[in-house]
Amino acid sequence: MWTLIDSPVGPVRIVAHDEAVTAVEFTGAVPEDTSPRSSVRTAQRRTATREIGERDDDHPVLSEAARQLREYFAGRRQEFDLPLDPGGTDFQRRVWDELRRIGYGRTASYGELAARLGMPRGASRAVGAANGRNPIGIVIPCHRVVGVSGSLSGYAGGVERKQLLLRLEQGSLF
């Protein structure tokens, strides 16, 4: 089952199964960013590879997730308290758990995450690959991971969305 909310970064679909959130996905175009640093205006979509079922805006897990996401976008929530089931491999789940330890308004590089996981320096690519497979965006904050120089490298929802989410968390979006 799923529901859809509007947000400052475009429509967001929340998917749940067996009483847990299994995905938070961007479904439409990135709202136009008029900052001089914005260069790509095309929509990027995260494609669901699983059954999502019927829309159910009143399901308790979905309505709670929608409420918490709206609070986040309004600047009134910094952490999420939701039942999550992202699936994934043991390694991916370790990476995703580490993502949740990156504080609101903060960033970490792929290399820093690898080091926190006790991995060698060259493991940043594996961490990046796991980060890119995170199905529960925003709630598991993969947007807080940046390149070693602080660059806004890759994001499944598009670099513009990543930039908007980081700006929101730093209090400069609105």
Side-chain angles (χ1 to χ4, degrees), residues 11 16 22 29 39 50 60 71 76 79 87 92 98 106 113 128 141 147 154:
T22 58
S39 60
R50 68 205 149 283
E71 288 175 355
R76 296 188 315 263
E79 294 180 14
Q92 288 170 334
E98 196 60 43
R106 306 261 186 204
L113 288 176

Side-chain angles (χ1 to χ4, degrees), residues 9-126:
V9 294
V12 175
R13 179 172 50 201
I14 308 161
V15 181
H17 183 70
D18 289 338
E19 307 306 316
V21 174
T22 58
V24 173
E25 309 169 321
F26 300 107
T27 65
V30 179
E32 186 168 323
D33 179 1
T34 57
S35 70
R37 292 172 46 145
S38 179
S39 60
V40 179
R41 303 274 186 233
T42 58
Q44 294 189 4
R45 293 176 182 229
R46 169 170 240 151
T47 308
T49 58
R50 68 205 149 283
E51 251 335 283
I52 63 169
E54 299 293 320
R55 184 170 180 163
D56 185 353
D57 297 333
D58 298 320
H59 187 278
V61 170
L62 293 173
S63 60
E64 178 62 15
R67 183 185 70 79
Q68 289 188 29
L69 280 162
R70 285 186 188 105
E71 288 175 355
Y72 168 82
F73 288 119
R76 296 188 315 263
R77 175 173 291 276
Q78 295 183 2
E79 294 180 14
F80 294 92
D81 181 23
L82 296 167
L84 304 178
D85 184 9
T89 66
D90 288 342
F91 174 71
Q92 288 170 334
R93 286 192 300 273
R94 284 182 54 222
V95 171
W96 300 336
D97 287 344
E98 196 60 43
L99 293 176
R100 295 185 77 192
R101 291 182 182 92
I102 303 171
Y104 181 87
R106 306 261 186 204
T107 59
S109 71
Y110 297 101
E112 288 175 89
L113 288 176
R116 290 180 192 176
L117 291 166
M119 302 174 72
R121 182 179 174 137
S124 59
R125 286 183 185 246

Side-chain angles (χ1 to χ4, degrees), residues 134-156:
N134 171 24
I136 307 178
I138 304 171
V139 176
I140 299 175
C142 52
H143 62 279
R144 296 179 187 157
V145 182
V146 297
V148 69
S149 64
S151 62
L152 299 183
S153 57
Y155 185 60

